[in-house]
Amino acid sequence: MAVPSDFTVLDISGKFVMNKTLSDQRTDTILQLQGVSWLKRKAISIGTITLAIKHYKDEDGVEHIDIDQTLTGGIPGTRETRTLWWKERQNEDHLFGAVIGKSRRVKAEELDIPFLQGPWTADTLEHGLIQSYVESDTPKSGTTWIANQTWGIEEIDGERRYVRHVKFTGPKAEDIEAKLVYDYAPAPLFNIDIRVAGRHIVLPIETIIIKTTRPLTSPWIFIILAAAYIIGFAFFARAQSFLTPPSSFIGCTSTFYLANNQCGQDGDGCGPFDASSFDFRCPAQCDNVILQNPRTVGNEQIVFKPLLVGGGDVNMTYRGDSFICAAAIQAGVISQQKGGCGSLNLIGNFTNFLPFTSHGLTSIGFPTVFPSAFQFLGSTSLSHCADLRNEALVFNVLVTSALFIILRPKSIVLYWCLVCIGFWHVILFSQPTGPPPKLDVAFESFLPVLFIAYAFWRLGFRFVMPAFRGAPLEACILYLSGYWVGVLNNLTFDKLPLSRLTSSDLGKRNGAITTLVVMLVIIVILAINQVRVIRKTGWLPYYAGWYIAGGLVTLVLALLPGLELRLHHYIIPMIIIPGTAFPTRLSAIYQGLLLGLFLNGTAAFGLDSILQTPDDLRQDAPLGSDLPVWSTNSTNYNSSIPFANQLIFWDPLIPNWDGFALLVDDVQRYAGPALNFSLASLNASLPHFFRLAYTSMGSSGDFTKAATLWPNGTWVDPLPGPS
């Protein structure tokens, strides 16, 4: 793994792991000539060599390099303390025996051995190489050899790497030139080692955690706890969704009456309207579920808040098209945080729904009659009603934290744990596809999610996550801080005034364009920084080529006729994650956030197509169809005619339409080819609201905005545009 872009030979502090693939394979020959036994050489060949380097200057400005070398495979570690002042120093090394060494910083041109002179990066040549000269103390060790090394930064396969050039001379004048290449592991942020006012403060938090929890990192302990987690999580999910009768579950947008004329003539398709009670269970956080497109109520339009009409009278009576769960929260029947169960009674026709504000929600009024209304009852027969999503969140946050800090499985195992925990947390708790959760739909998405997640590992995570193995607390904070923000997208990014990145949506909501601009600025800044990192490694042309190719393919898709490009939030991580394959702290944060967003999108909404038709994106927004024209208007309405004899008129049909649909007080009261409607059946003492649409073969186009007739005989013309 490449060193950070700002890493130079002036300070080589950090942790490095020898890359045996890129390093010279003749290291075993060198060890043999140094007198290292066959058994130890084999142990070294199968083990991992890790260097923990601390590079600093003393009070006199003299450079020191302290190296703690550890080797897996049964070989004890060694400690080297070097002073860069080119003075010989004797040392007894348990691996090489008695040696004499000296070190210094030197310019490449001062060396007389070409192999030691380069090739190095320009900044290394500018700052000077670190030269280490070590030879055997022959009288004590009984061997004769010389290892002349230079250390610095070299570009290997387009990446900046910490490299050592070794010029080795053996007992019989064997001449070996070997290059040792190391992977960089960022220094643990929480291993505090600072000097303040002449005092040396050392607090190796990460090291303490690793040593303290080492007995708990056994694979068998992990397997046992993983099985216990699966069983415990299953019981958690059972208590959440499967102890209440399925028929009692309703969603946050459930209503008794549908928009416009979807309930048919006189609303009969949504009956019965009275003499009926209903026990229900609502999920938590339904106050966050809002209308994404305007909904007309009388002569008002509601958007970007829950649909609540009425509730302000002494009996808390709501219009039948109000969101039941949001109404229950406003009425205090259930909790916003816990959801809950309740019971309601349908009461049929009700007049004058009053607005009010309570529990952070505000309803609107409706001053006339509506055929569907409901009131909440005082008790319910349902049990096991509390929504456990908050408890499940705490549980899973603790589990994922323990995986990073205490259990510390291999990076690939840890990664798959995050994939599975996040996906099923969304499915079963934070954004279930139910209620109750539809497990068949969940498993339909789970297999392709695993395939895509494997690609994420291969393209990004395997290069970054292992780099933080020696810093479990830091890795936990870096990865999980973004991961849970992404998994809980419905509580984080969904709070922003952006729903879909389409031109029509951006113009609907106050602050949407400002939010988009701010987000784009932040993304551009982060992208520029990531490009800088990639350029330092030499991989920029490779990545730029692939991203340009992907951009061209996307452009072609966007130009396909009859389809619109839709970048679902699960697609965005698929685009960005390959560009995070560089071991920096920011890359770890990006990967956690992007993985969480991917899991949220696929679990909550499935793998929707990147191309969708305008109808797919429209949802319940206006169609953009022709609008009828009212003949009756504020200038020709004659209020002197008795109300029972009044007729309202509209213009004749235009081509491609075969009839009209008329909504009176948001209920369809007429459908057919006639050009007028009698007001005889209406109550003259109430205001009335009229909306008109063309129909074709029984399907309605867009309705006009509401024309209003007040009890004093005043006719108010509708505003332009659809409702």
Side-chain angles (χ1 to χ4, degrees):
M1 299 171 191
V3 297
S5 56
D6 57 353
F7 185 95
T8 70
V9 76
L10 291 177
D11 185 359
I12 61 171
S13 298
K15 182 174 286 188
F16 302 87
V17 179
M18 181 183 288
N19 188 314
K20 295 184 178 181
T21 301
L22 298 177
S23 296
D24 198 299
Q25 301 302 312
R26 292 174 295 173
T27 52
D28 185 74
T29 303
I30 294 175
L31 292 172
Q32 182 181 4
L33 295 174
Q34 288 176 305
V36 178
S37 68
W38 178 87
L39 185 62
K40 287 185 177 181
R41 296 201 315 272
K42 287 301 177 184
I44 291 172
S45 68
I46 63 175
T48 300
I49 301 172
T50 303
L51 307 179
I53 301 177
K54 181 182 177 183
H55 189 172
Y56 60 96
K57 291 183 179 180
D58 60 22
E59 296 176 352
D60 297 325
V62 178
E63 289 184 87
H64 296 261
I65 298 178
D66 299 340
I67 304 175
D68 289 310
Q69 181 172 272
T70 57
L71 302 93
T72 59
I75 304 299
T78 61
R79 179 175 177 82
E80 303 174 17
T81 56
R82 300 175 183 270
T83 304
L84 304 191
W85 57 4
W86 206 237
K87 295 180 181 180
E88 288 189 349
R89 183 175 180 179
Q90 294 183 339
N91 185 44
E92 184 69 30
D93 190 283
H94 78 88
L95 189 62
F96 305 118
V99 296
I100 301 172
K102 54 184 178 180
S103 305
R104 65 173 175 172
R105 184 177 295 279
V106 62
K107 292 290 186 179
E109 57 268 22
E110 298 178 28
L111 300 170
D112 55 3
I113 302 174
F115 179 69
L116 300 180
Q117 292 178 329
W120 304 102
T121 59
D123 57 292
T124 299
L125 295 174
E126 177 186 351
H127 300 313
L129 307 168
I130 296 172
Q131 183 183 10
S132 167
Y133 183 92
V134 180
E135 61 182 353
S136 60
D137 191 346
T138 303
K140 295 181 180 179
S141 65
T143 59
T144 302
W145 53 264
I146 298 173
N148 194 359
Q149 305 181 39
T150 49
W151 307 345
I153 312 303
E154 184 177 337
E155 192 169 290
I156 305 291
D157 293 337
E159 294 183 323
R160 287 168 56 88
R161 298 270 189 164
Y162 172 62
V163 177
R164 294 181 174 185
H165 287 202
V166 181
K167 176 74 170 179
F168 181 82
T169 304
K172 298 180 180 179
E174 295 92 343
D175 186 16
I176 299 176
E177 294 180 346
K179 185 182 294 187
L180 306 181
V181 182
Y182 292 84
D183 290 330
Y184 173 77
L189 189 64
F190 295 106
N191 271 355
I192 300 171
D193 189 345
I194 58 175
R195 296 176 184 272
V196 179
R199 301 181 63 183
H200 190 192
I201 301 174
V202 178
L203 184 59
I205 297 174
E206 299 282 18
T207 303
I208 293 171
I209 290 174
I210 291 173
K211 290 182 178 179
T212 304
T213 60
R214 184 170 287 123
L216 300 175
T217 60
S218 166
W220 289 109
I221 293 178
F222 173 81
I223 292 171
I224 293 170
L225 292 179
Y229 168 79
I230 293 172
I231 295 171
F233 194 65
F235 277 100
F236 222 138
R238 177 176 177 269
Q240 165 77 349
S241 302
F242 299 99
L243 295 179
T244 307
S247 60
S248 66
F249 281 94
I250 61 174
C252 291
T253 59
S254 294
T255 66
F256 287 106
Y257 201 91
L258 303 178
N260 295 332
N261 61 344
Q262 295 181 54
C263 287
Q265 185 70 17
D266 299 322
D268 290 342
C270 294
F273 296 132
D274 56 10
S276 176
S277 62
F278 175 59
D279 291 319
F280 63 90
R281 177 181 169 182
C282 289
Q285 300 165 358
C286 280
D287 59 333
N288 295 326
V289 179
I290 60 176
L291 291 166
Q292 294 289 349
N293 292 303
R295 182 73 61 86
T296 298
V297 176
N299 60 352
E300 295 186 59
Q301 285 198 318
I302 308 173
V303 68
F304 302 127
K305 61 181 182 179
L307 177 57
L308 291 171
V309 184
D313 62 293
V314 65
N315 294 316
M316 291 188 171
T317 307
Y318 289 89
R319 209 172 87 158
D321 56 352
S322 298
F323 290 171
I324 298 171
C325 292
I329 293 173
Q330 188 187 41
V333 175
I334 65 173
S335 162
Q336 183 271 344
Q337 290 292 332
K338 291 283 191 178
C341 297
S343 184
L344 57 79
N345 188 41
L346 293 171
I347 62 170
N349 280 323
F350 189 83
T351 302
N352 195 18
F353 297 86
L354 300 179
F356 87 119
T357 298
S358 182
H359 295 91
L361 295 172
T362 298
S363 65
I364 66 169
F366 184 68
T368 189
V369 66
F370 197 77
S372 176
F374 61 87
Q375 298 169 346
F376 293 107
L377 302 177
S379 61
T380 178
S381 61
L382 298 176
S383 60
H384 301 94
C385 296
D387 192 306
L388 302 177
R389 67 181 63 193
N390 289 337
E391 290 81 354
L393 175 61
V394 172
F395 176 63
N396 278 329
V397 168
L398 292 175
V399 167
T400 50
S401 299
L403 285 169
F404 273 94
I405 299 173
I406 300 174
L407 300 179
R408 300 198 305 280
K410 290 183 178 180
S411 296
I412 190 170
V413 176
L414 176 60
Y415 171 75
W416 284 115
C417 289
L418 293 180
V419 170
C420 295
I421 290 173
F423 183 87
W424 289 105
H425 180 85
V426 175
I427 287 289
L428 297 173
F429 291 98
S430 64
Q431 280 182 275
T433 52
K438 298 177 181 177
L439 297 183
D440 56 336
V441 176
F443 278 102
E444 179 182 306
S445 299
F446 189 47
L447 184 59
V449 164
L450 294 180
F451 277 102
I452 298 171
Y454 177 70
F456 287 168
W457 170 260
R458 295 292 302 173
L459 294 173
F461 282 81
R462 70 186 178 109
F463 301 110
V464 180
M465 189 173 276
F468 293 92
R469 288 281 295 167
L473 178 59
E474 183 179 355
C476 176
I477 294 172
L478 293 176
Y479 272 98
L480 294 188
S481 59
Y483 172 79
W484 284 111
V485 168
V487 168
L488 301 176
N489 177 68
N490 58 314
L491 300 179
T492 54
F493 293 110
D494 271 1
K495 292 290 189 179
L496 299 175
L498 288 172
S499 56
R500 300 172 300 179
L501 296 180
T502 61
S503 57
S504 59
D505 279 10
L506 292 176
K508 290 179 183 177
R509 195 167 183 181
N510 292 334
I513 295 178
T514 302
T515 302
L516 179 62
V517 170
V518 171
M519 289 180 63
L520 287 176
V521 169
I522 294 173
I523 291 171
V524 167
I525 292 173
L526 296 177
I528 291 174
N529 177 71
Q530 198 69 4
V531 168
R532 179 185 64 85
V533 171
I534 298 173
R535 186 182 66 83
K536 290 286 188 180
T537 67
W539 282 92
L540 185 58
Y542 176 84
Y543 277 86
W546 279 108
Y547 274 106
I548 290 172
L552 293 175
V553 172
T554 303
L555 180 61
V556 171
L557 294 176
L559 296 176
L560 292 177
L563 295 170
E564 293 190 21
L565 184 71
R566 174 77 189 279
L567 290 180
H568 301 278
H569 67 273
Y570 85 86
I571 294 176
I572 295 174
M574 297 171 67
I575 298 171
I576 299 177
I577 280 178
T580 66
F582 302 89
T584 66
R585 292 184 174 92
L586 283 177
S587 289
I589 295 173
Y590 300 154
Q591 289 185 348
L593 174 62
L594 293 168
L595 179 62
L597 282 174
F598 170 77
L599 296 173
N600 175 272
T602 52
F605 306 106
L607 296 161
D608 280 352
S609 172
I610 192 173
L611 293 175
Q612 294 182 295
T613 65
D615 285 342
D616 293 332
L617 296 175
R618 183 180 58 83
Q619 297 176 340
D620 60 349
L623 298 167
S625 65
D626 299 318
L627 292 175
V629 178
W630 287 95
S631 299
T632 299
N633 56 53
S634 58
T635 60
N636 61 24
Y637 181 80
N638 188 355
S639 60
S640 63
I641 299 174
F643 190 84
N645 298 329
Q646 287 281 7
L647 295 174
I648 56 175
F649 299 88
W650 48 86
D651 288 357
L653 287 167
I654 62 175
N656 302 320
W657 301 98
D658 58 21
F660 298 92
L662 176 67
L663 300 181
V664 180
D665 302 329
D666 300 335
V667 179
Q668 180 172 291
R669 298 301 185 184
Y670 173 76
L675 300 179
N676 59 71
F677 177 77
S678 171
L679 305 186
S681 61
L682 304 182
N683 188 332
S685 65
L686 297 174
H688 297 287
F689 309 97
F690 305 94
R691 292 188 285 143
L692 190 65
Y694 289 120
T695 62
S696 176
M697 300 180 66
S699 297
S700 300
D702 290 332
F703 283 88
T704 64
K705 285 189 168 64
T708 306
L709 178 60
W710 295 103
N712 62 4
T714 301
W715 176 276
V716 179
D717 294 328
L719 295 173
S723 61

